[in-house]
Amino acid sequence: MAYKLLSVLSTIALARAAVIVPGASWTDTEGNVIQAHGGGFLKVDTTYYWFGEDKVLDSTLFHAVSCYTSTDLETWTRQNDALTPISGTMISTSDVVERPKVIFNSKNSEYVMWFHSDTSNYGAAMVGVATANTPCGPYTYKSSWKPLGADSRDEGLFLDDDGTAYLLYASDNNQDFKISMLDANYYNVTEQVSVLTGATLEAPGVVKRDDIYYLIASHTSGWDPNPNKVFTSSSLAGPWSAQVDIAPEDTNTYYSQNAYDMLLGTNGIYMGDRWDVSALGSSTYIWFPLSWASGLPVIVEADVWSVDLAAGTYTIATGTTYEAESGTLGGSSELLTDSSYSGGEAVGYLGNGGTLTLNNILGIGEAQWISLYYANGDSTWRNTTLSVNGGANVVIQQPSSGGGHVIQSVPVKVNLKNGANILTFSSGQANYAGDLDKIIVYTTT
């Protein structure tokens, strides 16, 4: 869909540096959209390395495993590609390489990458391994195979405190989830240590906190999101607890799927993907704080936030809220009432002739983040247009929110003049937009 290409709209400033904005299109220090989907992370000294799938060709087929570096988790620089296709192997441009994860083998002073290795129809269900002497490599491909003779699709790695490494993987046609120990070189698995039979889990990550292991994973629903879960155990061998939601169930993990999970002081960071199957390269990243305040990791919803790595803390930005019902309704738009809406009201039937204008939106004279809180009960994406002070329309994508009365937010960055601004929604679009509950305008950029 042409509207997905937000970068062609000059009024949008893409997210780079300073803050984390879940769902925005993030760019690197060269201004290019970050291509690191299904990612894995590695810290070496004070530098973080982000490995992921380069989906710039909007295809499931292998293009490259990218490598980005950062010292603050907010500003990322692209380095050389860590892994590139090799014809005649299982990592050719006709094959699939997904969810790359890298760990360091201190015995061999070697970086070892594992990934989901597959054919284009996902029929091979293998793992692949590659090695390098430096974090970004380039990596030398070793081989692909079925671990212990069984399927492996979505996978992850976990390196325990004693240096023992484990493969986390969806197996047996995605019906069972397994954890197997790696050998001393991290080249192969040696034994299965745990199996969650019939769990139908994928997209796994494990963090260890206060000697408890937390397994975070999604269930299987193709490219569509579902409620991601957490399981706990005092041992990777289990037994594992019953599953518990890490976010309100009806939000489908804020329309995302887990990719990696990282500790941050006594808290953590959920690092997920918001897949856009119609344009995979435009898929965005959904990172949220994880809080253990309830005893289990729970996502803390945040439109705009930042981390202090030295302190091991995070800060959520605050903004100014403007209720949709306080604006001027135009055309066929209608006022909606329901307890799920902020203030009990929202504006619906936007688009296809229905508009909403919000006056006196205060700006600071520069590009600012605005979060649109909306409901889209469709299983497919909607979008809305936004015009600032009579300027050109910006198109904002609105994934399914999980129900007609389930509210989620999407970000957009636009230039607001100092003082009062006029925002007009859904003008000039033939399709229906999501119902608009409110907007929040942020000054933290």
Side-chain angles (χ1 to χ4, degrees):
M1 182 181 296
Y3 282 161
K4 304 278 183 176
L5 301 177
L6 296 184
S7 60
V8 304
L9 300 165
S10 61
T11 51
I12 289 183
L14 301 179
R16 184 178 71 193
V19 291
I20 297 170
V21 183
S25 185
W26 299 357
T27 57
D28 61 24
T29 53
E30 296 297 318
N32 299 313
V33 174
I34 293 176
Q35 292 288 339
H37 310 281
F41 294 80
L42 176 71
K43 185 182 181 185
V44 180
D45 298 324
T46 60
T47 299
Y48 289 87
Y49 293 83
W50 182 2
F51 305 89
E53 307 161 27
D54 186 332
K55 298 292 191 187
V56 70
L57 300 181
D58 292 331
S59 171
T60 59
L61 299 180
F62 183 40
H63 177 62
V65 172
S66 57
C67 182
Y68 293 83
T69 55
S70 174
T71 57
D72 59 11
L73 295 182
E74 296 166 358
T75 305
W76 292 93
T77 299
R78 185 155 186 170
Q79 308 295 337
N80 59 275
D81 288 336
L83 187 68
T84 53
I86 302 173
S87 62
T89 73
M90 277 293 295
I91 63 166
S92 75
T93 56
S94 299
D95 295 301
V96 169
V97 170
E98 295 178 338
R99 299 188 177 274
K101 304 293 185 284
V102 173
I103 52 178
F104 179 66
N105 187 295
S106 57
K107 178 178 74 74
N108 297 336
S109 295
E110 186 176 53
Y111 297 90
V112 184
M113 176 189 294
W114 285 63
F115 51 89
H116 171 200
S117 179
D118 222 320
T119 49
S120 60
N121 65 355
Y122 290 89
M126 297 179 176
V127 292
V129 169
T131 59
N133 294 323
T134 57
C136 285
Y139 283 70
T140 300
Y141 173 61
K142 295 180 72 68
S143 61
S144 299
W145 72 97
K146 289 180 178 286
L148 301 176
D151 289 350
S152 178
R153 289 190 170 92
D154 275 16
E155 49 69 49
L157 292 177
F158 177 73
L159 183 60
D160 214 341
D161 301 332
D162 63 359
T164 304
Y166 298 85
L167 176 68
L168 325 167
Y169 56 113
S171 190
D172 305 329
N173 199 28
N174 286 347
Q175 294 304 299
D176 302 323
F177 183 80
K178 298 177 180 178
I179 301 175
S180 292
M181 185 184 300
L182 304 192
D183 62 23
N185 294 319
Y186 305 162
Y187 293 166
N188 205 340
V189 295
T190 59
E191 62 175 314
Q192 180 179 298
V193 300
S194 183
V195 57
L196 282 72
T197 303
T200 63
L201 298 177
E202 62 180 9
V206 166
V207 294
K208 185 179 182 181
R209 182 180 182 273
D210 296 336
D211 294 323
I212 300 296
Y213 298 90
Y214 297 86
L215 166 63
I216 296 176
S218 78
H219 284 289
T220 53
S221 53
W223 294 101
D224 294 326
N226 57 65
N228 288 202
K229 310 292 184 179
V230 61
F231 305 76
T232 64
S233 177
S234 59
S235 167
L236 287 173
W240 292 91
S241 71
Q243 64 183 16
V244 177
D245 288 309
I246 63 170
E249 187 174 25
D250 54 8
T251 68
N252 289 319
T253 326
Y254 301 106
Y255 205 93
S256 73
Q257 183 184 41
N258 187 55
Y260 193 85
D261 309 285
M262 180 186 299
L263 290 179
L264 176 69
T266 59
N267 299 296
I269 305 175
Y270 165 87
M271 298 164 155
D273 293 284
R274 176 171 287 172
W275 296 110
D276 181 354
V277 69
S278 70
L280 285 172
S282 297
S283 301
T284 57
Y285 309 103
I286 304 296
W287 293 9
F288 285 126
L290 282 172
S291 171
W292 267 261
S294 67
L296 290 173
V298 175
I299 284 176
V300 181
E301 188 180 11
D303 294 330
V304 179
W305 63 290
S306 58
V307 296
D308 184 332
L309 294 174
T313 58
Y314 63 87
T315 301
I316 297 176
T318 57
T320 302
T321 299
Y322 299 88
E323 295 289 344
E325 63 270 20
S326 68
T328 301
L329 281 66
S332 56
S333 61
E334 294 183 12
L335 193 66
L336 308 176
T337 58
D338 189 84
S339 60
S340 62
Y341 303 134
S342 173
E345 294 180 313
V347 176
Y349 296 95
L350 293 167
N352 194 30
T355 64
L356 172 69
T357 300
L358 295 176
N359 296 296
N360 298 316
I361 306 300
L362 296 181
I364 59 174
E366 60 181 83
Q368 293 177 243
W369 287 109
I370 301 177
S371 287
L372 280 60
Y373 281 74
Y374 72 97
N376 171 15
D378 296 347
S379 60
T380 55
W381 294 39
R382 294 191 183 191
N383 58 56
T384 188
T385 61
L386 169 60
S387 169
V388 178
N389 299 320
N393 276 330
V394 173
V395 179
I396 306 162
Q397 298 301 320
Q398 298 173 311
S400 171
S401 64
H405 298 293
V406 179
I407 310 300
Q408 297 207 41
S409 68
V410 288
V412 62
K413 199 173 194 182
V414 294
N415 290 306
L416 297 181
K417 67 182 182 180
N418 191 40
N421 293 262
I422 301 172
L423 274 56
T424 302
F425 294 91
S426 304
S427 175
Q429 66 179 91
N431 60 291
Y432 281 113
D435 302 331
L436 190 61
D437 182 13
K438 65 182 180 182
I439 67 169
I440 301 179
V441 179
Y442 292 91
T443 57
T444 303
T445 58

mmCIF file of all heavy atoms in Angstrom, residues 4 22 57 68 71 75 80-81 87 92 114 205 215 219 243 250 254 262 270 301-302 312 348 358 414 432:
data_model
loop_
_atom_site.group_PDB
_atom_site.id
_atom_site.type_symbol
_atom_site.label_atom_id
_atom_site.label_comp_id
_atom_site.label_asym_id
_atom_site.label_seq_id
_atom_site.Cartn_x
_atom_site.Cartn_y
_atom_site.Cartn_z
ATOM 1 N N LYS A 4 1.818 3.315 3.142
ATOM 2 C CA LYS A 4 2.760 2.803 4.134
ATOM 3 C C LYS A 4 4.080 3.543 4.066
ATOM 4 O O LYS A 4 4.848 3.549 5.018
ATOM 5 C CB LYS A 4 3.022 1.315 3.910
ATOM 6 C CG LYS A 4 1.777 0.450 3.920
ATOM 7 C CD LYS A 4 1.334 0.098 5.301
ATOM 8 C CE LYS A 4 0.137 -0.835 5.253
ATOM 9 N NZ LYS A 4 -0.280 -1.278 6.540
ATOM 10 N N PRO A 22 7.902 3.855 20.488
ATOM 11 C CA PRO A 22 7.415 2.595 19.932
ATOM 12 C C PRO A 22 6.456 2.823 18.759
ATOM 13 O O PRO A 22 5.560 3.663 18.823
ATOM 14 C CB PRO A 22 6.681 1.948 21.113
ATOM 15 C CG PRO A 22 7.264 2.594 22.333
ATOM 16 C CD PRO A 22 7.592 3.993 21.922
ATOM 17 N N LEU A 57 13.795 -5.270 1.068
ATOM 18 C CA LEU A 57 13.177 -5.729 -0.171
ATOM 19 C C LEU A 57 11.740 -6.186 0.034
ATOM 20 O O LEU A 57 11.112 -6.699 -0.901
ATOM 21 C CB LEU A 57 14.000 -6.872 -0.785
ATOM 22 C CG LEU A 57 15.456 -6.537 -1.145
ATOM 23 C CD1 LEU A 57 16.145 -7.740 -1.764
ATOM 24 C CD2 LEU A 57 15.515 -5.345 -2.086
ATOM 25 N N TYR A 68 24.036 -3.100 13.907
ATOM 26 C CA TYR A 68 24.030 -1.699 14.332
ATOM 27 C C TYR A 68 24.703 -1.589 15.691
ATOM 28 O O TYR A 68 24.679 -2.539 16.487
ATOM 29 C CB TYR A 68 22.598 -1.170 14.445
ATOM 30 C CG TYR A 68 21.852 -1.058 13.143
ATOM 31 C CD1 TYR A 68 21.212 -2.172 12.590
ATOM 32 C CD2 TYR A 68 21.759 0.149 12.460
ATOM 33 C CE1 TYR A 68 20.513 -2.069 11.392
ATOM 34 C CE2 TYR A 68 21.059 0.259 11.264
ATOM 35 C CZ TYR A 68 20.437 -0.859 10.736
ATOM 36 O OH TYR A 68 19.746 -0.755 9.564
ATOM 37 N N THR A 71 25.683 3.220 22.079
ATOM 38 C CA THR A 71 26.130 3.249 23.477
ATOM 39 C C THR A 71 25.004 3.652 24.415
ATOM 40 O O THR A 71 25.200 3.692 25.625
ATOM 41 C CB THR A 71 27.306 4.226 23.665
ATOM 42 O OG1 THR A 71 26.921 5.529 23.215
ATOM 43 C CG2 THR A 71 28.530 3.752 22.885
ATOM 44 N N THR A 75 20.419 5.854 19.944
ATOM 45 C CA THR A 75 21.052 6.319 18.705
ATOM 46 C C THR A 75 21.846 5.154 18.122
ATOM 47 O O THR A 75 22.745 4.631 18.780
ATOM 48 C CB THR A 75 21.994 7.502 18.983
ATOM 49 O OG1 THR A 75 21.274 8.522 19.664
ATOM 50 C CG2 THR A 75 22.566 8.058 17.690
ATOM 51 N N ASN A 80 28.956 -2.777 8.947
ATOM 52 C CA ASN A 80 28.906 -3.732 7.841
ATOM 53 C C ASN A 80 27.865 -4.812 8.135
ATOM 54 O O ASN A 80 27.541 -5.093 9.300
ATOM 55 C CB ASN A 80 30.271 -4.379 7.635
ATOM 56 C CG ASN A 80 30.767 -5.102 8.877
ATOM 57 O OD1 ASN A 80 31.359 -4.460 9.753
ATOM 58 N ND2 ASN A 80 30.528 -6.408 8.994
ATOM 59 N N ASP A 81 27.327 -5.420 7.092
ATOM 60 C CA ASP A 81 26.415 -6.542 7.291
ATOM 61 C C ASP A 81 27.161 -7.694 7.954
ATOM 62 O O ASP A 81 28.285 -8.033 7.571
ATOM 63 C CB ASP A 81 25.827 -7.002 5.963
ATOM 64 C CG ASP A 81 24.820 -6.008 5.407
ATOM 65 O OD1 ASP A 81 24.244 -5.230 6.196
ATOM 66 O OD2 ASP A 81 24.600 -6.025 4.178
ATOM 67 N N SER A 87 25.269 -18.338 -2.437
ATOM 68 C CA SER A 87 24.522 -19.193 -3.367
ATOM 69 C C SER A 87 24.905 -20.650 -3.163
ATOM 70 O O SER A 87 26.043 -20.975 -2.794
ATOM 71 C CB SER A 87 24.791 -18.773 -4.809
ATOM 72 O OG SER A 87 26.168 -18.917 -5.123
ATOM 73 N N SER A 92 21.112 -18.847 0.898
ATOM 74 C CA SER A 92 21.083 -18.163 -0.398
ATOM 75 C C SER A 92 19.936 -17.158 -0.411
ATOM 76 O O SER A 92 19.129 -17.089 0.523
ATOM 77 C CB SER A 92 20.888 -19.177 -1.529
ATOM 78 O OG SER A 92 19.542 -19.620 -1.573
ATOM 79 N N TRP A 114 23.489 -17.745 15.944
ATOM 80 C CA TRP A 114 22.497 -18.764 15.615
ATOM 81 C C TRP A 114 21.303 -18.065 14.973
ATOM 82 O O TRP A 114 20.984 -16.917 15.294
ATOM 83 C CB TRP A 114 22.048 -19.508 16.870
ATOM 84 C CG TRP A 114 23.047 -20.505 17.395
ATOM 85 C CD1 TRP A 114 24.301 -20.241 17.859
ATOM 86 C CD2 TRP A 114 22.863 -21.908 17.514
ATOM 87 N NE1 TRP A 114 24.918 -21.401 18.252
ATOM 88 C CE2 TRP A 114 24.060 -22.446 18.062
ATOM 89 C CE3 TRP A 114 21.818 -22.780 17.224
ATOM 90 C CZ2 TRP A 114 24.215 -23.802 18.321
ATOM 91 C CZ3 TRP A 114 21.967 -24.150 17.478
ATOM 92 C CH2 TRP A 114 23.168 -24.649 18.018
ATOM 93 N N GLY A 205 12.330 -15.377 24.334
ATOM 94 C CA GLY A 205 13.452 -14.716 24.989
ATOM 95 C C GLY A 205 13.456 -15.114 26.458
ATOM 96 O O GLY A 205 12.394 -15.381 27.036
ATOM 97 N N LEU A 215 10.767 -16.785 30.912
ATOM 98 C CA LEU A 215 10.632 -17.076 29.488
ATOM 99 C C LEU A 215 9.474 -16.251 28.946
ATOM 100 O O LEU A 215 8.336 -16.390 29.407
ATOM 101 C CB LEU A 215 10.366 -18.565 29.276
ATOM 102 C CG LEU A 215 9.869 -18.997 27.889
ATOM 103 C CD1 LEU A 215 10.915 -18.706 26.815
ATOM 104 C CD2 LEU A 215 9.476 -20.469 27.891
ATOM 105 N N HIS A 219 2.448 -16.868 21.185
ATOM 106 C CA HIS A 219 1.910 -18.086 20.584
ATOM 107 C C HIS A 219 2.022 -17.954 19.065
ATOM 108 O O HIS A 219 2.552 -16.966 18.542
ATOM 109 C CB HIS A 219 0.474 -18.327 21.048
ATOM 110 C CG HIS A 219 0.398 -18.850 22.458
ATOM 111 N ND1 HIS A 219 0.782 -20.128 22.799
ATOM 112 C CD2 HIS A 219 0.019 -18.259 23.618
ATOM 113 C CE1 HIS A 219 0.631 -20.315 24.092
ATOM 114 N NE2 HIS A 219 0.171 -19.186 24.624
ATOM 115 N N GLN A 243 1.259 -19.951 32.112
ATOM 116 C CA GLN A 243 1.492 -18.710 31.394
ATOM 117 C C GLN A 243 0.702 -17.558 31.997
ATOM 118 O O GLN A 243 -0.402 -17.743 32.504
ATOM 119 C CB GLN A 243 1.140 -18.876 29.925
ATOM 120 C CG GLN A 243 -0.330 -19.164 29.663
ATOM 121 C CD GLN A 243 -0.613 -19.398 28.186
ATOM 122 O OE1 GLN A 243 0.284 -19.637 27.389
ATOM 123 N NE2 GLN A 243 -1.879 -19.325 27.810
ATOM 124 N N ASP A 250 -6.354 -8.135 25.439
ATOM 125 C CA ASP A 250 -7.053 -7.717 24.227
ATOM 126 C C ASP A 250 -6.235 -6.796 23.337
ATOM 127 O O ASP A 250 -6.616 -6.540 22.189
ATOM 128 C CB ASP A 250 -8.404 -7.064 24.560
ATOM 129 C CG ASP A 250 -8.300 -5.917 25.553
ATOM 130 O OD1 ASP A 250 -7.165 -5.508 25.882
ATOM 131 O OD2 ASP A 250 -9.358 -5.436 26.012
ATOM 132 N N TYR A 254 0.060 -4.928 22.447
ATOM 133 C CA TYR A 254 0.138 -3.642 21.740
ATOM 134 C C TYR A 254 0.549 -3.846 20.279
ATOM 135 O O TYR A 254 1.386 -3.139 19.749
ATOM 136 C CB TYR A 254 1.083 -2.687 22.474
ATOM 137 C CG TYR A 254 0.635 -2.436 23.894
ATOM 138 C CD1 TYR A 254 1.310 -3.019 24.969
ATOM 139 C CD2 TYR A 254 -0.486 -1.664 24.163
ATOM 140 C CE1 TYR A 254 0.880 -2.822 26.277
ATOM 141 C CE2 TYR A 254 -0.920 -1.469 25.477
ATOM 142 C CZ TYR A 254 -0.234 -2.053 26.520
ATOM 143 O OH TYR A 254 -0.668 -1.865 27.817
ATOM 144 N N MET A 262 15.606 -7.698 27.682
ATOM 145 C CA MET A 262 16.855 -7.260 28.293
ATOM 146 C C MET A 262 16.581 -6.683 29.675
ATOM 147 O O MET A 262 15.599 -5.960 29.869
ATOM 148 C CB MET A 262 17.491 -6.186 27.400
ATOM 149 C CG MET A 262 18.805 -5.618 27.883
ATOM 150 S SD MET A 262 19.368 -4.233 26.829
ATOM 151 C CE MET A 262 19.546 -5.040 25.235
ATOM 152 N N TYR A 270 11.239 -4.762 27.008
ATOM 153 C CA TYR A 270 10.622 -5.641 26.027
ATOM 154 C C TYR A 270 10.934 -5.071 24.650
ATOM 155 O O TYR A 270 10.656 -3.902 24.371
ATOM 156 C CB TYR A 270 9.112 -5.703 26.254
ATOM 157 C CG TYR A 270 8.324 -6.297 25.098
ATOM 158 C CD1 TYR A 270 8.128 -7.669 25.004
ATOM 159 C CD2 TYR A 270 7.764 -5.475 24.115
ATOM 160 C CE1 TYR A 270 7.409 -8.218 23.950
ATOM 161 C CE2 TYR A 270 7.046 -6.014 23.052
ATOM 162 C CZ TYR A 270 6.866 -7.385 22.973
ATOM 163 O OH TYR A 270 6.157 -7.921 21.932
ATOM 164 N N GLU A 301 3.169 0.642 29.297
ATOM 165 C CA GLU A 301 2.895 1.338 28.051
ATOM 166 C C GLU A 301 3.464 2.748 28.111
ATOM 167 O O GLU A 301 3.258 3.480 29.073
ATOM 168 C CB GLU A 301 1.397 1.390 27.786
ATOM 169 C CG GLU A 301 1.040 1.924 26.410
ATOM 170 C CD GLU A 301 -0.443 1.981 26.152
ATOM 171 O OE1 GLU A 301 -1.221 1.801 27.110
ATOM 172 O OE2 GLU A 301 -0.836 2.212 24.996
ATOM 173 N N ALA A 302 4.199 3.134 27.066
ATOM 174 C CA ALA A 302 4.846 4.447 27.030
ATOM 175 C C ALA A 302 4.913 4.917 25.588
ATOM 176 O O ALA A 302 5.446 4.219 24.726
ATOM 177 C CB ALA A 302 6.252 4.365 27.626
ATOM 178 N N GLY A 312 20.415 2.450 35.339
ATOM 179 C CA GLY A 312 19.530 1.300 35.193
ATOM 180 C C GLY A 312 18.069 1.683 35.348
ATOM 181 O O GLY A 312 17.276 0.907 35.896
ATOM 182 N N GLY A 348 -16.178 8.962 15.854
ATOM 183 C CA GLY A 348 -16.148 7.883 14.879
ATOM 184 C C GLY A 348 -16.610 8.322 13.511
ATOM 185 O O GLY A 348 -16.944 9.490 13.292
ATOM 186 N N LEU A 358 -9.223 19.891 15.572
ATOM 187 C CA LEU A 358 -8.862 20.293 16.931
ATOM 188 C C LEU A 358 -8.138 21.629 16.859
ATOM 189 O O LEU A 358 -7.121 21.759 16.161
ATOM 190 C CB LEU A 358 -7.969 19.237 17.582
ATOM 191 C CG LEU A 358 -8.600 17.862 17.844
ATOM 192 C CD1 LEU A 358 -7.566 16.897 18.412
ATOM 193 C CD2 LEU A 358 -9.779 17.986 18.803
ATOM 194 N N VAL A 414 5.310 15.770 13.696
ATOM 195 C CA VAL A 414 4.979 16.850 12.774
ATOM 196 C C VAL A 414 5.498 18.165 13.335
ATOM 197 O O VAL A 414 5.762 18.289 14.543
ATOM 198 C CB VAL A 414 3.459 16.944 12.540
ATOM 199 C CG1 VAL A 414 2.940 15.716 11.818
ATOM 200 C CG2 VAL A 414 2.715 17.142 13.857
ATOM 201 N N TYR A 432 -12.436 4.620 5.671
ATOM 202 C CA TYR A 432 -12.710 4.956 7.063
ATOM 203 C C TYR A 432 -11.439 4.837 7.903
ATOM 204 O O TYR A 432 -10.653 3.896 7.740
ATOM 205 C CB TYR A 432 -13.787 4.048 7.652
ATOM 206 C CG TYR A 432 -15.191 4.440 7.265
ATOM 207 C CD1 TYR A 432 -15.960 3.611 6.451
ATOM 208 C CD2 TYR A 432 -15.750 5.643 7.718
ATOM 209 C CE1 TYR A 432 -17.258 3.967 6.085
ATOM 210 C CE2 TYR A 432 -17.043 6.007 7.367
ATOM 211 C CZ TYR A 432 -17.785 5.171 6.544
ATOM 212 O OH TYR A 432 -19.055 5.538 6.195
#
